[in-house]
Amino acid sequence: MTPPKCTICKTQNTAFPVQVLLPSYNLKLCQKHFLEWMEKRVAETIAKYHMFTKNDKILVAVSGGKDSLGLWFLLTQLGYEADGLYIDLGIPEYSAESKSYASKLAERIGRTLHIVDMATELAPIPEMKQWSRKPACSLCGTIKRYYMNRIAREKGYTVLATGHNLDDEVAVLWNNVMHWNMDYLSKQYPVLPAEGPFLKKVKPLCRISEKESALYTIFHKIPYIKPECPYSTHASSLENKRILQQLEEEKPGTKITFYTGFLKNLAPLLHKNEKTDSSLAFCKICGEPTTTEICSICQLKQKMGKL
Ligand code: SF4
Ligand code: ZN
Ligand code: ZN
C-alpha cells in the first residue's frame, strides 16, 4: 500500500512523511506543513477577533503546561512582542517543575518572564487553604485573576493572553448550555474587551484543539509539565470532554462547528443584551478593582495577619 501523502506537499511538489491527521479539516500533514498550518490558523484567529496587533505589548499567562508555553513560543514566531507571567503557587514539586519549564522557554526565546511568588506575596496555596473556606481551585482562580491583571497593568502591557484551547472552550460551552448559565454564556468569547482597570483578555488558541496544541509544543521540542496539578478535581469537565471526544470521533469537526456556531449565532445576541457592571469599586487597601469594600486578596491577607 502506498503511504498517504501530505495534503500541502502534494501541491508544492515536496514529499515529507505524513505525521498528523486532522480529520475535522480533511487534512493529512507532514510536520513542517502542520506547524505552518497551525501558525496561520492562530494568526487568522487573532485577526478575526481583533485580539491585538504588532503595536501591542502582550503578556502571556504561562503555567508551564503545553498550551501556554506553546502559545508564548508561537506568538514570538509570528513576530509579536510577548512576555510571560508565571505565578508560583508554591505547590510542592509541581510548582518548581512547571516554573523551570517557563524559565527555560523564556531563555530560549529571549523574552522576559515575570514571576510572582505567592510564598512572599501571601502564602503558598497549601498554607492559604487553611485560612479559606474556598476550594483550592477557586482560591487559585482568584489569585490568578488578581495578579495577572495587576502585574500586566503596572508593567504597561496592553493585552493579557491565556492558553485556553478549543477543547477547554467547548467543554465550558457545553456545560453552560446544559445548565443554561446565561450569565456565563454572555461572557464566553475569545476576547474580553478592556474595561476600566481591567485589561483586554484574549484566547488565541480557541480554535486549536488540545491534540494540535500538544503536537505543536512537542514538534518544537519545548519541555512542559505533564502531571496534573495535585489539586486538580475537574471531574465534570473531564466527563464533558470525554463525551465531546466521542461525538468528535463519530463525526469529525463536531467541536469546532459547535464552538464557532456559538460565536457566530448566539454570542452576538447575548452581547446585545449585556448590561455593564455598575457594582465595580476599588479596594480600600490595595486599590485594585473589586465588588466589595475590601478585595478578597486583602481580606485573606488580613485573616492571615499579613496586613
Ligand atoms: Fe490552580 Fe486548581 Fe489549576 Fe491547580 S488545578 S493550578 S489549584 S486551578
Ligand atoms: Zn507537507
Ligand atoms: Zn485589595
Side-chain angles (χ1 to χ4, degrees):
M1 210 171 77
T2 46
K5 287 199 178 131
C6 162
T7 318
I8 300 176
C9 276
K10 269 198 261 178
T11 66
Q12 298 188 352
N13 232 0
T14 48
F16 299 113
V18 168
Q19 299 234 14
V20 187
L21 300 178
L22 300 176
S24 322
Y25 309 103
N26 207 11
L27 291 173
K28 296 181 181 104
L29 300 176
C30 65
Q31 181 169 323
K32 173 181 181 284
H33 287 128
F34 166 72
L35 294 173
E36 285 176 11
W37 172 85
M38 176 138 156
E39 285 172 8
K40 189 165 166 249
R41 189 159 174 82
V42 175
E44 281 167 2
T45 306
I46 293 167
K48 185 175 170 67
Y49 296 101
H50 308 287
M51 292 186 172
F52 42 76
T53 67
K54 297 265 161 81
N55 296 326
D56 275 298
K57 269 188 82 189
I58 304 152
L59 188 63
V60 184
V62 286
S63 64
K66 63 182 185 324
D67 301 310
S68 55
L69 292 179
L71 170 65
W72 192 13
F73 184 84
L74 191 152
L75 292 182
T76 58
Q77 291 287 103
L78 292 178
Y80 288 104
E81 285 279 311
D83 289 335
L85 170 66
Y86 178 83
I87 299 178
D88 186 341
L89 299 164
I91 300 171
E93 290 161 34
Y94 178 80
S95 291
E97 188 182 344
S98 51
K99 183 166 69 178
S100 75
Y101 296 135
S103 303
K104 257 185 212 140
L105 182 62
E107 214 172 288
R108 173 167 162 190
I109 58 181
R111 302 290 323 186
T112 302
L113 175 68
H114 303 282
I115 298 178
V116 180
D117 185 3
M118 290 320 298
T120 48
E121 274 294 325
L122 196 50
I125 285 260
E127 191 187 325
M128 226 185 283
K129 239 178 82 49
Q130 296 165 14
W131 293 86
S132 171
R133 277 196 300 264
K134 285 185 181 178
C137 292
S138 146
L139 202 53
C140 180
T142 307
I143 289 167
K144 284 178 184 164
R145 276 191 300 277
Y146 179 93
Y147 285 100
M148 270 160 42
N149 194 64
R150 182 175 175 166
I151 302 285
R153 209 190 52 240
E154 284 177 357
K155 301 212 176 276
Y157 292 94
T158 52
V159 187
L160 251 170
T162 55
H164 296 91
N165 62 41
L166 176 67
D167 291 66
D168 300 327
E169 291 302 298
V170 172
V172 171
L173 176 60
W174 176 266
N175 191 55
N176 286 339
V177 169
M178 286 291 132
H179 297 95
W180 291 118
N181 289 330
M182 298 310 284
D183 199 30
Y184 290 151
L185 279 171
S186 70
K187 290 190 175 77
Q188 188 171 359
Y189 204 67
V191 175
L192 279 183
E195 208 185 328
F198 292 110
L199 249 79
K200 186 178 189 180
K201 291 200 187 87
V202 298
K203 299 172 181 172
L205 297 185
C206 66
R207 298 196 305 155
I208 296 294
S209 75
E210 196 162 333
K211 174 184 132 183
E212 290 151 14
S213 169
L215 286 173
Y216 183 84
T217 309
I218 292 166
F219 285 162
H220 275 296
K221 299 189 169 48
I222 300 167
Y224 62 87
I225 185 132
K226 292 181 188 81
E228 281 258 14
C229 166
Y231 291 111
S232 165
T233 52
H234 311 305
S236 65
S237 143
L238 285 180
E239 180 59 12
N240 285 342
K241 283 188 176 176
R242 193 189 58 75
I243 295 168
L244 288 157
Q245 188 54 30
Q246 212 171 328
L247 292 174
E248 178 74 26
E249 274 159 30
E250 279 171 28
K251 197 164 185 294
T254 298
K255 288 184 203 170
I256 190 74
T257 308
F258 179 46
Y259 182 61
T260 50
F262 162 73
L263 296 181
K264 187 166 167 241
N265 301 308
L266 188 57
L269 298 177
L270 295 172
H271 290 170
K272 233 188 245 173
N273 297 329
E274 216 180 354
K275 295 182 201 87
T276 46
D277 188 0
S278 54
S279 55
L280 192 70
F282 293 92
C283 172
K284 273 190 159 176
I285 298 173
C286 68
E288 286 301 300
T290 173
T291 48
T292 48
E293 206 172 306
I294 297 176
C295 77
S296 29
I297 297 292
C298 289
Q299 283 183 30
L300 198 56
K301 279 188 182 172
Q302 278 180 330
K303 250 197 226 172
M304 296 175 78
K306 306 238 167 175
L307 271 181

